[in-house]
Amino acid sequence: MTTDVPRPRDREDDRHRPGRGVAVFWIVAGVLGWVVSFLLYHEYIGQLTGGDALISCDISPIVTCGPNLLTPGGNLLGFSNSIIGIVLFTGPIFAGVSALASRAGMQKWYWRTYAAFVAGAFVFVHVLAYRSVFEYGSLCPWCMVIWLVTIPLFWTVAGWTLRAGVWGSAGRGAGRILLSWLPLIVIVDYLVIAVAAQLRLDVIGSL
């Protein structure tokens, strides 16, 4: 005689859901990043064909899109990085909508995967920022909007996943500290890039 053993249900602490404000921020960041990536793609096509982009980004000899978009760094996988943005910025939108739609929350693997992709984007934009300042000697305005979106997105995702215990209970304290200092951390991150650009390129003097 056999006895049916009920399947264990997911423990409550295995599912997590960010607050409404965080979820809405992810959606807004994803939409903004997607729109700017779309504009960058059209700017890229305009650079290749000589046609007019939807919105030009040539502000000065230094603040301009062309040198960045047509470099190997601007086409990392053999095509425009803007296509990567068009695809991947749907991630924060989906994560935010999932958080708002699910009362029980999503499992840890879901948030870990999301956080890993956002971390990859964070590293990617800093690499591009470094190359823009120190190798190409120009700053792409639309690219900088992507940086402005990705940096707080990463710190928010990192802080929340740590505080929620997505990476284990040991990180909860670090997550609380990170979120409490979030505005300052984001501003310092921005300032590091801005100061490096000004010292290297004299961006203000070029305007």
Side-chain angles (χ1 to χ4, degrees):
M1 179 177 178
T2 60
T3 304
D4 293 333
V5 179
R7 297 177 61 185
R9 296 182 178 181
D10 296 327
R11 294 184 305 170
E12 185 177 353
D13 61 355
D14 283 338
R15 288 181 174 270
H16 304 274
R17 186 169 72 95
R20 182 178 298 273
V22 172
V24 170
F25 171 73
W26 290 349
I27 295 171
V28 172
V31 170
L32 181 59
W34 190 93
V35 169
V36 173
S37 295
F38 180 78
L39 293 174
L40 265 173
Y41 176 72
H42 276 268
E43 179 71 22
Y44 171 75
I45 295 300
Q47 293 288 339
L48 291 179
T49 63
D52 294 329
L54 291 179
I55 301 177
S56 177
C57 62
D58 292 329
I59 298 174
S60 76
I62 291 177
V63 184
T64 180
C65 292
N68 294 63
L69 293 180
L70 302 179
T71 59
N75 299 268
L76 188 65
L77 299 180
F79 51 82
S80 173
N81 293 341
S82 59
I83 298 177
I84 301 176
I86 290 173
V87 173
L88 294 186
F89 271 114
T90 58
I93 300 172
F94 188 80
V97 171
S98 298
L100 294 176
S102 173
R103 293 184 178 180
M106 309 298 287
Q107 293 198 19
K108 289 181 178 179
W109 66 263
Y110 178 90
W111 297 119
R112 287 175 178 175
T113 302
Y114 172 52
F117 275 101
V118 173
F122 177 78
V123 173
F124 187 47
V125 299
H126 281 78
V127 170
L128 292 180
Y130 176 87
R131 298 187 72 174
S132 294
V133 172
F134 294 99
E135 295 182 21
Y136 307 142
S138 65
L139 296 173
C140 167
W142 291 124
C143 301
M144 288 190 288
V145 175
I146 297 293
W147 307 346
L148 290 173
V149 170
T150 304
I151 288 171
L153 179 64
F154 165 76
W155 289 115
T156 303
V157 172
W160 174 76
T161 54
L162 285 169
R163 188 184 65 180
V166 171
W167 304 102
S169 59
R172 290 181 183 273
R176 284 191 291 268
I177 294 172
L178 198 158
L179 289 178
S180 66
W181 291 94
L182 183 64
L184 179 60
I185 293 172
V186 172
I187 290 172
V188 170
D189 203 336
Y190 287 159
L191 284 176
V192 169
I193 298 174
V195 171
Q198 178 60 28
L199 293 177
R200 178 77 175 183
L201 304 176
D202 188 19
V203 178
I204 297 176
S206 72
L207 299 177

